[in-house]
Amino acid sequence: MSRRRLLIGCTAGVTGAVFASWAFSADDSPVSWYTPATVSAKTERKKRPLPSRPEQIKTLQAGHTYDILIIGGGATGAGCALDATTRGLRTALVESDDFASGTSSRSTKLIHGGVRYLQKAILQLDYDQYKMVKEALHERANMLEVAPHLTRPLPILLPVYKWWQVPYYWFGIKMYDVVAGDRNLKSSYYLSKKNTLELFPMLKSDNLCGGIVYYDGQQDDARMNLAIALTAARHGATIANHVRVLKLHKTAGKLSGARVRDELTGKEWDVKAKSIINATGPFTDSIRKMDDQNVKEICCPSSGVHIVLPGYYSPEHMGLLDPSTSDGRVIFFLPWLKGTIAGTTDLPCDVTHNPKPTEDEIQFILTEVRNYLNPDVEVRRGDVLSAWSGIRPLVSDPNKPDTQSLARNHIVHVSPSGLVTIAGGKWTTYRAMAAETIDAAIESSNLKPLYRDCQTDGFLIEGAHGWTPTMYIRLVQDFGLEMEVAQHLAKSYGDRAFAVAKMAAMTGQRWPVIGKKVHPEFPYIDAEIRYGVREYACTAIDMIARRLRLAFLNVQAAAEALPTIIDIMAEELKWNETEKQRQMKLAADFLANEMGQMVNRASRDKIPINLSKDEIQTYIKRFQIIDKDKKGYVSINDIRRSLKNYGEEVTGEQLHEILREIDTNMNGQVELDEYLQMMSAIKSGHVTYSRFARMAEMEEEHHEKEILKKQISVERSGGGL
């Protein structure tokens, strides 16, 4: 048996060498710069060091001819890069912003086959819908297999409020299990009313008949996207974020390369490529028009808004699906990274690099949430910790004469000049979409890959190779990390968590030994900032939104952590004070506009003051106590003095944060009407908590204690006489 295995191994090795020689002899350009991927052992951890971004840029500028140049660093673009490089094709990927900076980081975080698509397939006897669900369920199982640290099976409850719906929903969900076949995660099951409320106690109990639980997957989408891109880089792909395509070059009517610009330095150069792939999601048409100015637009963008609520809104290990919202759209309500995601909306929108959530969309989601939570759970506007909008790139199929109808699945289109466009689809099927795209590129440009077939089914991605569910215990034992931090590192970085832990600073405490948190409420530590720079984070936004998920979880906490994060990044990237201030402004604008901070504040400021006369008098008194000099406003020095009165020392940046959360007119001071507006917003539930309000209350208590002390002192003095 061993001799037979040896013979097979030798034969495979010789065959591989022959294929490699054949593949590269077709190109006259030098190939010494490129080492083709070896994918015969899909579960081996790649030993190749991750090239730094400057090294990747240098390779892009070297004048090599790539087999494939991919435009777009979202899930599909990164998937294409991994697929192409593991087939032995010389691969480059450029992204104008950051990996996953668009739709790929703003999803519902589900890895799903599409329950409602299956419903349509059954009711309408639609075989195409069935195939789409079948493919997605296969990809769902594959994602959980290749990235177990970033994914997990998640039970999702479908509450039933009408008895006739019980067999209807039960049959549909069982069919979901059947279609998944041997790739099914876990079998669905029916719950009685009592058991439903035990598992999901926040649920409205009136008229509840029971519930049906089925399983889908859940992921950290931005980190998954990044892990796919890093895996491609480990296997030889040249990838670079913050590099924009300015123009496409043609030779004899066929695409031959692109003019690109490094957005960080402004430097421009040409990249030569035999095939160019357009994987830019909502920006599909802008690249297609670089190829042909007269081409018809195919992208029909749709805005999908999600909000994050505190974790107590849902059980930690169960989500909820509302199949019948007021506008007919499905709403998900899911636990995610200790918070609760609710969404999504579906409204036509313009294509923009900076989509913003609107108050109407947020209120729609909150209204739907109120419909299925019990009255004890008061759904407050102030509980919205973050809100974001993702642009879903629905497309019409240019391969068909009737371009009015939207494609239900993805489309792959090859233009006369050879531009391969991949558009539409969904996160779960990114790998299958990439495989089809690379097949089209090979066919249309007559490329000679080392492996003709896709190699990525079952291919472990960055961090998965040595990961185990109990790996975090070794991190606690070996490094002295806090357990919550160790669990977070293991889930975010997989077996690379040990490399992150080695960069952690000493805390100076007995326990934990290492790992200084960048914000006290979250498990993110200093080492992740340093490691994030090695994962190609170039800006503060890259860090708070996609290397850490802080901006998506709590926009206010992200703002509070920014100074610490920027200081560490400045050490790593050699930023001067001017650049640090620029990064602070850009990140603050991002949080204000794209992560819901501004719309949260605007919502609060629109609330009419609904305080009683006694409440107004109380708050005026507190305000006047803080405004010791009777200026008519509270300055940052007043806040500092008040905090010192009860022994709390804070940094200058923390003082500015306290001021900013109440200073609505942005003049650097707090007026009485701003304070009353805040207290009214707290009373109505539009604001959950204010440090300034708490400080004013404690200052009043301190003031009254001081008065009482003086009275006692005077009485004692009088008694002595």
Side-chain angles (χ1 to χ4, degrees):
M1 180 63 76
S2 60
R3 289 177 62 188
R4 181 181 172 188
R5 285 179 178 168
L6 180 62
L7 180 61
I8 292 171
C10 291
T11 304
V14 172
T15 304
V18 171
F19 269 122
S21 174
W22 168 64
F24 294 121
S25 64
D27 183 13
D28 295 331
S29 61
V31 296
S32 58
W33 59 276
Y34 183 80
T35 304
T38 303
V39 295
S40 56
K42 293 183 179 182
T43 57
E44 273 186 24
R45 176 171 166 172
K46 195 71 176 175
K47 297 295 194 295
R48 178 184 187 236
L50 194 66
S52 66
R53 185 178 182 276
E55 289 170 339
Q56 298 278 34
I57 294 292
K58 187 177 178 182
T59 303
L60 267 182
Q61 293 173 344
H64 306 306
T65 300
Y66 288 92
D67 291 316
I68 287 179
L69 170 63
I70 300 157
I71 308 172
T76 308
C80 287
L82 180 58
D83 189 297
T85 198
T86 51
R87 295 198 206 194
L89 293 168
R90 287 161 289 188
T91 306
L93 179 149
V94 293
E95 160 60 46
S96 63
D97 194 342
D98 184 28
F99 305 112
S101 58
T103 309
S104 295
S105 63
R106 304 171 190 235
S107 73
T108 310
K109 323 302 179 198
L110 280 180
I111 310 168
H112 64 102
V115 173
R116 45 194 183 127
Y117 296 125
L118 182 61
Q119 179 191 29
K120 292 177 184 176
I122 294 171
L123 293 179
Q124 300 170 12
L125 298 177
D126 190 328
Y127 185 63
D128 287 339
Q129 294 266 19
Y130 169 79
K131 282 198 304 182
M132 187 169 68
V133 175
K134 183 76 174 174
E135 177 187 68
L137 288 171
H138 172 84
E139 295 302 323
R140 180 188 71 176
N142 185 66
M143 284 181 73
L144 269 74
E145 178 186 332
V146 302
H149 55 303
L150 291 169
T151 62
R152 63 168 180 165
L154 179 69
I156 298 176
L157 174 69
L158 200 160
V160 183
Y161 288 93
K162 296 176 182 176
W163 280 111
W164 67 265
Q165 292 177 332
V166 172
Y168 175 75
Y169 287 144
W170 182 88
F171 174 76
I173 295 299
K174 277 300 172 186
M175 285 301 297
Y176 197 55
D177 293 351
V178 170
V179 174
D182 61 356
R183 307 307 299 269
N184 194 32
L185 302 182
K186 293 182 182 180
S187 293
S188 58
Y189 55 91
Y190 171 75
L191 287 172
S192 66
K193 176 178 179 177
K194 178 183 176 184
N195 290 338
T196 298
L197 293 173
E198 281 181 4
L199 282 175
F200 210 111
M202 305 83 175
L203 200 61
K204 183 168 65 177
S205 59
D206 293 351
N207 301 318
L208 180 68
C209 303
I212 296 169
V213 176
Y214 73 98
Y215 284 80
D216 261 331
Q218 189 178 50
Q219 65 169 338
D220 183 340
D221 52 3
R223 287 218 58 89
M224 173 71 85
N225 192 156
L226 180 63
I228 297 164
L230 295 177
T231 308
R234 295 256 187 215
H235 285 80
T238 304
I239 67 171
N241 55 349
H242 300 284
V243 173
R244 182 181 298 276
V245 170
L246 304 174
K247 181 183 178 182
L248 300 180
H249 295 311
K250 293 180 183 177
T251 303
K254 293 292 183 181
L255 290 176
S256 57
R259 183 75 174 174
V260 302
R261 179 179 66 215
D262 186 340
E263 297 288 74
L264 302 182
T265 64
K267 185 172 182 178
E268 296 182 13
W269 69 95
D270 291 325
V271 177
K272 292 181 284 187
K274 297 176 184 178
S275 178
I276 297 180
I277 292 173
N278 173 16
T280 53
F283 304 97
T284 292
D285 287 323
S286 63
I287 302 299
R288 293 177 75 238
K289 287 185 177 181
M290 286 186 189
D291 176 41
D292 178 0
Q293 188 60 43
N294 299 317
V295 75
K296 288 184 179 179
E297 294 188 356
I298 62 170
C299 186
C300 305
S302 172
S303 166
V305 168
H306 294 82
I307 63 174
V308 171
L309 299 164
Y312 53 72
Y313 269 83
S314 66
E316 189 176 350
H317 299 292
M318 178 166 283
L320 187 143
L321 164 66
D322 180 7
S324 53
T325 62
S326 57
D327 72 346
R329 181 159 180 81
V330 170
I331 284 277
F332 285 99
F333 194 66
L334 309 166
W336 184 66
L337 300 182
K338 309 295 184 183
T340 301
I341 290 180
T344 179
T345 59
D346 187 10
L347 295 170
C349 67
D350 296 326
V351 174
T352 171
H353 286 280
N354 313 106
K356 304 172 186 176
T358 66
E359 182 63 22
D360 286 346
E361 289 171 307
I362 292 171
Q363 288 294 349
F364 166 76
I365 296 171
L366 289 174
T367 300
E368 297 302 330
V369 168
R370 289 187 186 99
N371 287 340
Y372 54 77
L373 294 189
N374 71 52
D376 289 341
V377 183
E378 183 188 353
V379 181
R380 303 178 296 182
R381 177 62 180 83
D383 283 338
V384 177
L385 304 177
S386 284
W388 69 86
S389 172
I391 300 177
R392 187 181 178 209
L394 302 172
V395 290
S396 52
D397 192 343
N399 299 307
K400 296 179 180 178
D402 176 18
T403 57
Q404 295 304 309
S405 58
L406 295 180
R408 287 170 298 196
N409 207 343
H410 62 271
I411 59 101
V412 176
H413 176 257
V414 182
S415 74
S417 65
L419 178 66
V420 182
T421 294
I422 169 68
K426 58 184 178 181
W427 228 119
T428 306
T429 56
Y430 84 90
R431 192 204 64 82
M433 292 161 61
E436 188 178 334
T437 305
I438 300 305
D439 285 343
I442 291 170
E443 182 72 25
S444 62
S445 299
N446 196 28
L447 302 178
K448 303 295 190 295
L450 182 61
Y451 300 96
R452 183 63 182 80
D453 295 327
C454 172
Q455 302 292 307
T456 57
D457 198 352
F459 195 93
L460 297 184
I461 69 164
E462 178 95 348
H465 301 82
W467 181 85
T468 66
T470 55
M471 195 188 83
Y472 73 92
I473 297 173
R474 286 167 52 206
L475 289 168
V476 174
Q477 293 174 335
D478 294 353
F479 293 95
L481 284 164
E482 186 180 322
M483 189 177 76
E484 185 188 13
V485 171
Q487 288 174 325
H488 154 67
L489 293 181
K491 288 177 181 176
S492 296
Y493 303 91
D495 61 14
R496 303 280 172 182
F498 294 95
V500 181
K502 287 176 182 176
M503 299 175 128
M506 302 284 284
T507 63
Q509 302 171 350
R510 186 187 65 79
W511 190 265
V513 178
I514 64 166
K516 293 181 179 178
K517 291 185 177 181
V518 297
H519 192 281
E521 297 170 26
F522 292 88
Y524 303 120
I525 60 171
D526 59 313
E528 294 182 79
I529 316 303
R530 302 188 191 281
Y531 193 80
V533 171
R534 288 151 182 78
E535 291 183 323
Y536 306 129
C538 303
T539 69
I541 298 173
D542 294 349
M543 193 66 71
I544 60 173
R546 293 171 287 272
R547 302 311 180 280
L548 316 180
R549 303 312 309 273
L550 194 52
F552 283 81
L553 290 168
N554 189 315
V555 67
Q556 189 62 35
E560 292 163 7
L562 260 180
T564 301
I565 290 170
I566 288 175
D567 283 345
I568 298 173
M569 290 189 77
E571 292 176 18
E572 293 290 325
L573 294 168
K574 306 296 185 286
W575 289 343
N576 57 25
E577 199 58 40
T578 301
E579 180 61 18
K580 285 171 66 175
Q581 291 301 319
R582 191 179 81 89
Q583 291 291 332
M584 177 65 77
K585 184 180 185 310
L586 290 172
D589 289 346
F590 168 78
L591 293 173
N593 295 306
E594 295 184 51
M595 291 291 112
Q597 191 177 43
M598 191 67 75
V599 74
N600 282 355
R601 174 171 284 180
S603 167
R604 180 192 78 192
D605 296 342
K606 287 178 184 176
I607 300 302
I609 294 177
N610 61 344
L611 302 171
S612 68
K613 191 176 290 186
D614 289 343
E615 287 171 331
I616 290 174
Q617 289 305 313
T618 297
Y619 298 140
I620 289 174
K621 178 184 173 185
R622 290 178 184 175
F623 187 85
Q624 290 172 341
I625 290 170
I626 300 175
D627 178 21
K628 205 168 185 177
D629 302 325
K630 310 301 179 191
K631 305 180 297 298
Y633 64 86
V634 170
S635 68
I636 200 161
N637 287 328
D638 293 325
I639 296 173
R640 181 185 285 111
R641 184 177 58 229
S642 290
L643 290 170
K644 276 187 176 179
N645 280 342
Y646 48 92
E648 191 169 333
E649 293 285 344
V650 294
T651 65
E653 188 55 44
Q654 288 171 325
L655 284 169
H656 281 287
E657 280 299 328
I658 293 171
L659 181 66
R660 276 196 290 267
E661 73 181 23
I662 193 170
D663 178 21
T664 54
N665 57 17
M666 303 294 185
N667 64 354
Q669 57 197 36
V670 180
E671 269 102 27
L672 177 60
D673 63 329
E674 291 174 320
Y675 176 47
L676 294 177
Q677 186 79 55
M678 170 68 81
M679 299 314 298
S680 182
I682 290 173
K683 181 180 178 181
S684 65
H686 275 69
V687 171
T688 306
Y689 183 79
S690 163
R691 287 169 295 178
F692 186 90
R694 177 62 181 148
M695 182 193 75
E697 184 182 352
M698 293 180 74
E699 181 69 358
E700 182 187 31
E701 291 173 3
H702 174 78
H703 182 71
E704 288 175 352
K705 285 178 183 176
E706 290 297 311
I707 292 174
L708 185 59
K709 281 181 184 177
K710 286 178 183 178
Q711 287 176 344
I712 293 172
S713 177
V714 168
E715 288 173 2
R716 285 177 176 171
S717 299
L721 291 170

